[in-house]
Amino acid sequence: MSKNKKIMFGLSLAAVAIMIMFFSTMPSAGSKEVSIEELMTKKDIYQDEYVLTQGLLKEDSIKWNADKIELKFEIFEEGKTKYLPIRYEGVKPDNFSDDVIVIVEGFLREDGVFEAEKVQTKCPSKYEGEDPNNYDAGMHKKMNENKQD
């Protein structure tokens, strides 16, 4: 094998390795997003598969064990009565309270408990817009005048 072919072979191998690393680190490559309803009704399909789901936190279900750094809670979909039990080993998120949407990634165990490897929260009130009926045109105009000064 000539020197040029060896260099081309090495560069090709490096390019393939970089492509594999790039696609394996993409967030969407790691998990499949499913609803709680689908996850609970099709347990056989999603058991032992890494999935992402989200729901509202049932606040009275929170059990935090600081000694073990273990968090147990339940989430549900709005308007539905089925609760998905979650177990998570890690730090409890800061805004873990009522009216919080919880996003979990992990595996559904055989006993129906979701073993979360990642827990995130988002507060829906932060993303809701102001009521357009409460729009104060005078205040808005005053704010714009102050920006120009």
Side-chain angles (χ1 to χ4, degrees):
M1 188 182 281
S2 71
K3 188 176 181 179
N4 285 342
K5 285 184 180 178
K6 288 179 183 176
I7 290 172
M8 290 300 292
F9 180 73
L11 289 174
S12 299
L13 204 58
V16 169
I18 289 170
M19 293 295 287
I20 290 171
M21 286 178 12
F22 177 73
F23 284 111
S24 65
T25 57
M26 291 176 64
S28 61
S31 62
K32 180 188 289 185
E33 186 171 350
V34 295
S35 67
I36 293 172
E37 181 84 24
E38 186 177 354
L39 189 62
M40 295 181 81
T41 55
K42 298 177 181 174
K43 289 180 180 176
D44 297 342
I45 295 172
Y46 295 112
Q47 194 173 340
D48 298 327
E49 190 172 332
Y50 193 76
V51 294
L52 178 147
T53 189
Q54 64 179 326
L56 296 168
L57 176 67
K58 182 181 174 192
E59 192 170 5
D60 61 349
S61 69
I62 300 171
K63 293 177 184 156
W64 169 241
N65 186 336
D67 294 332
K68 292 182 180 177
I69 309 175
E70 180 183 75
L71 181 63
K72 292 180 181 178
F73 58 96
E74 293 177 344
I75 59 173
F76 64 100
E77 289 176 321
E78 193 168 2
K80 308 277 173 118
T81 56
K82 290 184 177 180
Y83 297 97
L84 178 65
I86 312 284
R87 183 183 169 278
Y88 173 64
E89 287 185 19
V91 178
K92 183 178 162 186
D94 287 338
N95 59 344
F96 215 66
S97 61
D98 208 12
D99 292 334
V100 166
I101 296 172
V102 180
I103 303 165
V104 291
E105 289 184 53
F107 298 94
L108 183 64
R109 293 190 324 210
E110 193 173 330
D111 61 357
V113 176
F114 191 86
E115 193 74 35
E117 291 189 353
K118 195 175 189 182
V119 175
Q120 294 176 313
T121 58
K122 63 180 180 181
C123 182
S125 64
K126 287 184 179 178
Y127 305 103
E128 292 175 356
E130 295 270 337
D131 186 4
N133 294 331
N134 296 335
Y135 179 70
D136 185 3
M139 181 189 77
H140 208 97
K141 186 177 179 182
K142 194 174 182 180
M143 285 173 59
N144 283 336
E145 287 173 358
N146 289 339
K147 281 184 179 178
Q148 293 174 356
D149 291 337

